[in-house]
Amino acid sequence: MEELLSYRLSDLLLFSKQSYFRQFELYNHWLSLAKWLAYLYGVLFLFSLINQQRYFSRYLFLISALYWLICCYGFLWQFYASINWMAEYFIVLFIIQALLILWSFFYLQPSSRQKSQPLFFTTGILLWVITLIVQPVVEFVSGRSLSQLSIFALTPDSLSIMSVAFMLILRIPALYFMPAGLWLLFSSLTYLAMGSMEVLFPAFTFVLYLITIFLQLSSFRKVSGR
Amino acid sequence: MTDCPLQTRRTLLKQLALMGVMSTFPHTTLSQLISTPVTRPIPSSGQRLPVIGMGTHITFNVGNDTQARLKRTEVLRTFFEMGGQIVDSSPMYGSSEAVLGFCIKRLGKNASPLFSATKVWTSDTEEGIEQIDDSHRRWGLNRFNLNQVHNLVNWRSHLDTLLQLKADGRLQYVGITTSHGRRHRELEKIMLTQPVDFVQLSYHINNREVENRLLPLALDKGIAVIANRPFSKGELFTQYQRNPLPDWTREFDCSNWAQFFLKFVVSHPAITCAIPATSRIDHMKENMGACYGRLPDQVTRQRMINYVQSL
């Protein structure tokens, strides 16, 4: 135990910041024009919410399962796993996340989706806008080159933040987004180990995710009379 | 030039590299410089190794990025041109072994003489044997010079495996490693009871704990010592490099902080070599500069300690 406690977070990091961001650059190049479709997707979702097109929003949520699979194969499998063996575990988790999204879309009973509360709804929108617009700006300011920026919905952080936004806006039980939550924790620890201010986004979202789990569990207990 | 025999061309390249080294010693005359690197013997065999080697933790973990791999190839080329031999890696270091293999293949005969040092890092004995085979494949080598039990993980079983490989002639030396000052008591017991040729441990000017027991024990038992983290993962530069080097560092042919830190480490009589890691050619030249010229004596070593403590 004493030996475990002697480790600093940075001792567990196996790659440099430069190598990590380079994987994003290579991935973004691999994505080619597909990245612009993801931005269009991001804008379309906001549009559907503004115009209260609920069914359209739900189908955009369904499409997010595809993004998990693209990110899993494109980023984790092709690039990130080459510098971090732990990425292999997240490949499995990302596939599970895609399946959970499909499951929640097709099998979650409508009655279990409570009417969206303004606070959750607004927080969800805020997260969406943060990952669509704010995050790339902060990444650029903190030192990444343009070619290394996180692409909305196609890089793990953005995808996880986007999924938590879905969770809040569509009021889907938080347990369906456990893989996203785990990635947010893992990413936060990675950026912390690097001493990077980019820790802000995954860490903030992870805290929101935890709060949501707590609130949903409390609500469940009240309803079930425990 | 194309008609020069390979050996002559290689010697010429090394001399040109040496001129680069000499340019880092503006106040040292040629007669003061030794034209070959400073070496230390491996006690168990007498084979001599240059006192500065190369680590690959983090610096060579660049995955499948061809551009980064080509840059690392040039770093490795500089290493060999300046007289380096020992290259240390581990399966724990992500893609470092595979990247090394890529670099070694590209360098061909320029990657010599290579003293290959890797590690076995798994808690499972059978997996350890597979890992050793994987390391051979990644490096592109049939035989390692040195294989080490990484951070004492499952050391009893892995030492047996490595000693068997050595007995079979498939491995030259056996070692065991630790880092960050961890598990020194256990390492000491192993040094007292096991027939290891090498130990690897962390040692630098601000972390001299090993001078108390482990280094004297290594001298006594005839065990070679590799010093990892000689810059404390760059922290020594962050702490000290904005300060000037004192003039008296010229007495041991030191012209930059990298050489200051490295010469301190390798001037300890128990240290066989240090293995700083870098991804930059300019830093590699600075590091390898510590392999040439004079080393500080005991009095100067204490002066060096006093100086950094005063900063």
Side-chain angles (χ1 to χ4, degrees), chain B residues 200-265:
Chain B
Q200 187 180 128
L201 39 74
S202 296
Y203 177 52
H204 59 75
I205 196 165
N206 278 351
N207 176 13
R208 303 185 303 279
E209 191 254 333
V210 295
E211 288 180 359
N212 296 330
R213 293 190 63 80
L214 293 178
L215 293 186
L217 180 60
L219 272 175
D220 189 45
K221 297 285 287 178
I223 299 174
V225 180
I226 298 173
N228 59 42
R229 294 169 55 88
F231 301 140
S232 188
K233 213 176 169 184
E235 287 171 5
L236 294 182
F237 291 107
T238 311
Q239 262 185 292
Y240 301 117
Q241 74 172 355
R242 62 179 178 277
N243 299 289
L245 273 179
D247 289 342
W248 47 265
T249 56
R250 291 179 210 160
E251 292 168 18
F252 53 94
D253 304 310
C254 171
S255 61
N256 54 61
W257 277 105
Q259 289 165 15
F260 183 94
F261 300 134
L262 288 172
K263 288 204 174 198
F264 177 84
V265 169

Side-chain angles (χ1 to χ4, degrees), chain B residues 163-181:
Chain B
L163 288 167
Q164 186 59 53
L165 286 174
K166 184 181 175 186
D168 295 341
R170 290 161 58 197
L171 177 65
Q172 198 177 2
Y173 300 106
V174 171
I176 192 154
T177 84
T178 179
S179 69
H180 297 77

